[in-house]
Amino acid sequence: MGKEDGKIFIHSTAIVEDGAIIGDNTRIWHFAHVRSGARIGRYCNIGKDVYIDVGVEIGDNVKIQNGVSVYRGVKIEDDAFIGPHVVFTNDLYPRSFNRDWKVVSTLVRRGASIGANATIVCGVTIGEYAMVAAGAVVTRDVPPHGLVMGNPARLRGFVCYCGKPLREYDIIARTEQSITYKCSTCGREVSIPMEHYERYLRERDVK
């Protein structure tokens, strides 16, 4: 029910326009639409009903679940996870009749995960290995390893490389510059700059 182009699988119902660049061992599933000029890296999985717009850049080993819209101006780095029905935007002042609007870019950094039904308002950066909770509406940058949730999304904590939450009892060192956690699940250490930790303290109890 599809075709193999070298090491690339494209389902028979998917549309991949001429001029799209697809890396080896990537799989593109039912009813996906990849526009001309989009770049998708190696070992990616593009789920059912995904739309990838003109000029979008997607790194290696990225998983994009069903029903995601990735609009022009979005760049997704290696190892990122995009949950089902996530929506990216690219216009801060949308009008159907605007003719001179400008694309506002969004960056999803390496290893970040975005949960189901989250909305990413354009102009933000989702930091390395950050975690965006399901249903969150992200209107500000998310720091590396940051855990954000809610509408608007607020910084509620930090997560390890493995994705598990880092707790206060995981803290093994404090300096004026940073807080260092040791994950109780995988044992890896994560250093959080003090400016991000102080932001967490400000936002953790905000309703």
Side-chain angles (χ1 to χ4, degrees), residues 14 25 31 53-56 59 62 82 88-89 104-107 113 118 126 133 150 156 158 163 177 181 195 205:
N25 297 296
F31 307 109
D53 204 358
V54 174
V56 166
V62 172
I82 313 298
F88 293 91
T89 69
V104 179
S105 61
T106 296
L107 176 60
S113 295
I126 311 297
R156 302 300 193 184
F158 300 95
Q177 290 74 38
Y181 294 87
E195 62 181 304
D205 297 323

Side-chain angles (χ1 to χ4, degrees), residues 2 16-17 26 32 57 90 100 108 112 116 122 132-133 142 144 165-166 173 180-181 188 198-199:
V16 178
E17 297 180 5
T26 283
E57 297 181 41
N90 64 2
D100 59 351
V108 180
C122 54
V132 176
V142 180
L166 298 168
T180 301
Y181 294 87
R188 295 186 71 174
E198 289 175 346
R199 175 183 163 187

Side-chain angles (χ1 to χ4, degrees), residues 12 15 20 22-23 31 33 36 54 69 72 77 79 96 105-108 122 129-130 161 201 203:
S12 60
I15 299 172
I22 313 296
F31 307 109
H33 185 178
S36 180
V54 174
S69 298
R72 182 158 44 121
E77 294 185 346
D79 301 321
S96 64
S105 61
T106 296
L107 176 60
V108 180
C122 54
Y129 303 99
Y161 295 95
L201 294 179
E203 296 185 12

